[in-house]
C-alpha cells in the first residue's frame, strides 16, 4: 500500500461525501417540517426590490405541509428546477459549471495551460508566495463590490494547477479563491446583492454604515491573507503538513496530467490562446458587474470562447468536441452537488417553516439592550444564513422584519444591515447549503470535513473581529436620531 494512503487506512472512519451530507440534510429538514409549526408573514410587493417582502408583526400560523418520502426523493430534482411550473432554480448554475468544464478542457487540449504554468513558475521562482495576497485582493474586490460568488467556480480549474506546480496544495488554491471572495462578501461595502438590497429593504441608503464595513473588510482581509499564507508556507516547507497530503499523488495526476517542465516551449500560439483565455474571464467580470449578465450570458460567453480557441489552436472538429465533452464530464459531480444543495431550501420553503424560523428570530431580539441587541441580531442572522444561503434572498426575507425592531431597541438600522452582511458572509464560507462552497470544494477535491478543520480557527478570529466592531460601533453611535 502506498505511504500516502496510510492515514485513511488507520482512521477506520471515512467522513461521508458531499452528496451524502447534503442528502442527509434534506432528510433532516424534511423531518423538521413535521416538528416546527408552519407559519407565514403577510407580504407586500416592493417595486424597488422587485419582490414581495414580509411585513413585521403579521406572522400567523398556517396549515402545515410536512414533507414526506416522495418530497425528499424529488428535492434534488426540484433543486434544479420547479417540477410544477418549470421555473429554473439551480439548473442555470449547474449548466454554467458544465460549460466551464468544457471550456477548460478545450484550452487544456491546446497545451497552452501547461506551457503557461511552466513559464509562470520560471518567472515567479522565489516569489511564488506573492500570488496569494495579490489574487486574494482581486477576489475580495469582486466580493465586496458585486458579491462575487458563483463566478468564482470558473477560476478553480485555472488556479489549482498553478498552485500545485508552485509546491503548494489544492487546499491552498481553494482557500485563495473561496476565502478571498468570501471575505469580500463578508465586508460587503457596495455589494448590490447584499448591502444595497438589505439597505433598501431596511429603508436606508446603502452608504449608511459604509465606513464601518470598510474597516471590517480591511482588518478581516489582512487576517485572512496572513492565515492562508501561513498555511501555504508550512505546506511548501513540509508537504506532509498538508491537510490533503494523502491525496497529493492523485491531485497531481488529476490537475497536472503531466508536470510541466521548465523547458516546455511557450509558443506564439500558446500566448494567443492564453490572451483569449484571460479576455474571456475579463469579459465575464465586466458582464456581471456592468453589463447586467447572469448565468445564461456567462455560459454563452464560455461556449463561444471554447469554439474560438479550438479553431485558433487548430484542434479540429473531432478533438474540439471530445475535449469539450471530457472537460464537462470532469465537473459533472460538481453540477449535481449544486442541485442537491438547493434541494434543502426547496424542502424548507415547501414545508412552510422558513417564516416560522424568522418569527422566532424576531421575538428573540425584542427587549434587549443596544449592545446585546446588535450581537444577538448577528447570531440570529448567522442561524438564518444556514437555511437561506442566498444573500439577496436573506436580505429580502429578514430586513423588513429586523430593521423596524431595531428602532425599538434604539439601534441604528445601518448596524443591522452590517450585522446581516457580516453574518451572511461568514456562514457562506462553510455552509453545506451553498452551491459555491460545495461546488468549489468538489472542483478542488477537498473533502468537506478537511475544509472545516482548516478554516475553523479563522472563523473564530473573524467572528471576534466582527462582534467587537459591531459592539464598539453601537456604543459610539448611541441612540439614532
Amino acid at each position: 500500500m502506498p505511504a500516502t494512503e496510510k492515514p485513511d487506512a488507520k482512521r477506520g472512519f471515512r467522513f461521508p461525501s458531499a452528496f451524502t451530507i447534503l442528502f442527509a440534510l434534506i432528510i433532516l429538514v424534511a423531518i423538521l417540517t413535521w416538528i416546527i409549526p408552519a407559519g407565514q408573514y403577510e407580504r407586500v410587493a416592493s417595486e424597488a426590490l422587485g419582490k414581495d417582502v414580509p411585513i413585521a408583526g403579521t406572522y400567523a400560523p398556517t396549515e402545515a405541509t410536512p414533507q414526506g418520502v416522495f418530497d425528499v426523493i424529488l428535492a434534488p430534482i426540484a433543486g434544479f428546477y420547479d417540477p410544477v411550473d418549470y421555473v429554473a432554480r439551480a439548473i442555470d448554475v449547474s449548466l454554467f459549471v458544465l460549460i466551464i468544464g468544457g471550456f477548460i478542457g478545450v484550452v487544456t487540449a491546446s497545451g497552452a495551460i501547461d506551457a503557461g504554468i511552466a513559464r509562470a513558475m520560471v518567472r515567479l521562482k522565489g516569489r511564488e508566495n506573492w500570488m496569494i495576497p495579490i489574487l486574494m485582493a482581486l477576489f475580495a474586490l469582486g466580493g465586496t463590490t458585486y458579491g462575487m460568488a458563483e463566478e468564482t467556480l470558473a477560476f478553480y480549474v485555472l488556479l489549482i494547477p498553478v498552485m500545485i506546480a508552485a509546491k503548494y496544495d489544492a487546499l491552498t488554491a481553494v482557500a485563495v479563491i473561496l476565502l478571498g471572495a468570501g471575505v469580500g462578501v463578508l465586508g460587503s461595502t457596495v455589494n448590490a446583492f447584499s448591502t444595497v438590497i438589505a439597505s433598501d429593504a431596511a429603508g436606508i441608503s446603502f452608504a449608511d454604515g459604509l465606513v464601518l464595513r470598510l474597516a471590517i473588510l480591511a482588518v478581516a482581509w489582512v487576517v485572512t491573507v496572513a492565515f492562508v499564507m501561513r498555511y501555504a508556507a508550512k505546506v511548501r516547507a513540509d508537504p506532509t503538513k498538508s491537510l490533503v497530503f494523502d491525496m497529493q499523488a492523485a491531485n497531481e495526476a488529476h490537475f497536472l496530467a503531466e508536470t510541466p517542465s521548465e523547458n516546455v516551449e511557450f509558443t506564439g500560439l500558446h500566448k494567443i490562446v492564453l490572451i483569449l483565455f484571460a479576455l474571456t474571464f475579463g469579459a465575464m467580470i465586466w458582464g456581471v458587474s456592468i453589463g447586467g449578465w447572469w448565468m445564461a450570458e456567462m455560459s454563452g460567453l464560455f461556449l463561444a470562447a471554447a469554439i474560438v480557441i479550438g479553431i485558433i489552436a487548430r484542434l479540429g472538429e473531432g478533438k474540439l468536441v471530445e475535449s469539450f465533452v471530457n472537460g464537462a464530464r470532469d465537473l459533472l459531480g460538481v453540477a449535481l452537488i449544486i442541485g442537491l444543495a438547493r434541494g434543502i431550501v426547496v424542502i424548507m420553503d415547501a414545508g412552510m417553516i422558513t417564516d416560522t424560523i424568522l418569527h422566532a428570530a424576531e421575538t428573540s431580539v425584542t427587549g434587549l439592550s443596544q449592545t446585546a441587541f446588535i450581537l444577538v441580531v448577528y447570531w440570529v442572522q448567522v442561524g438564518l444564513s444556514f437555511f437561506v444561503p442566498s444573500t439577496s434572498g436573506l436580505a429580502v426575507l429578514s430586513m423588513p422584519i429586523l430593521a423596524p425592531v431595531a428602532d425599538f431597541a434604539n439601534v441604528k438600522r445601518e448596524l443591522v444591515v452590517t450585522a446581516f452582511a457580516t453574518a451572511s458572509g461568514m456562514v457562506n464560507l462553510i455552509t453545506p447549503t451553498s452551491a459555491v462552497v460545495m461546488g468549489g470544494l468538489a472542483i478542488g477535491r477537498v473533502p468537506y470535513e478537511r475544509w472545516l478543520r482548516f478554516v475553523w480557527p479563522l472563523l473564530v478570529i473573524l467572528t471576534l473581529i466582527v462582534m467587537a466592531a459591531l459592539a464598539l460601533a453601537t456604543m459610539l453611535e448611541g441612540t439614532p436620531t
Side-chain angles (χ1 to χ4, degrees), residues 111-124 162 260-261 264-267 270-271 274:
I113 287 182
D114 281 351
I117 290 173
R119 174 59 63 91
M121 291 307 97
V122 171
R123 295 285 180 88
L124 286 171
V162 174
S261 165
V264 170
E265 186 181 2
F266 190 53
T267 66
H270 290 152
K271 292 178 183 178
L274 291 180

Side-chain angles (χ1 to χ4, degrees), residues 72-98:
V72 168
I73 293 171
L74 274 186
I77 290 86
F80 288 108
Y81 72 96
D82 189 324
V84 176
D85 56 19
Y86 298 97
V87 171
R89 283 174 174 154
I91 188 66
D92 54 349
V93 181
S94 297
L95 182 60
F96 171 64
V97 166
L98 291 177

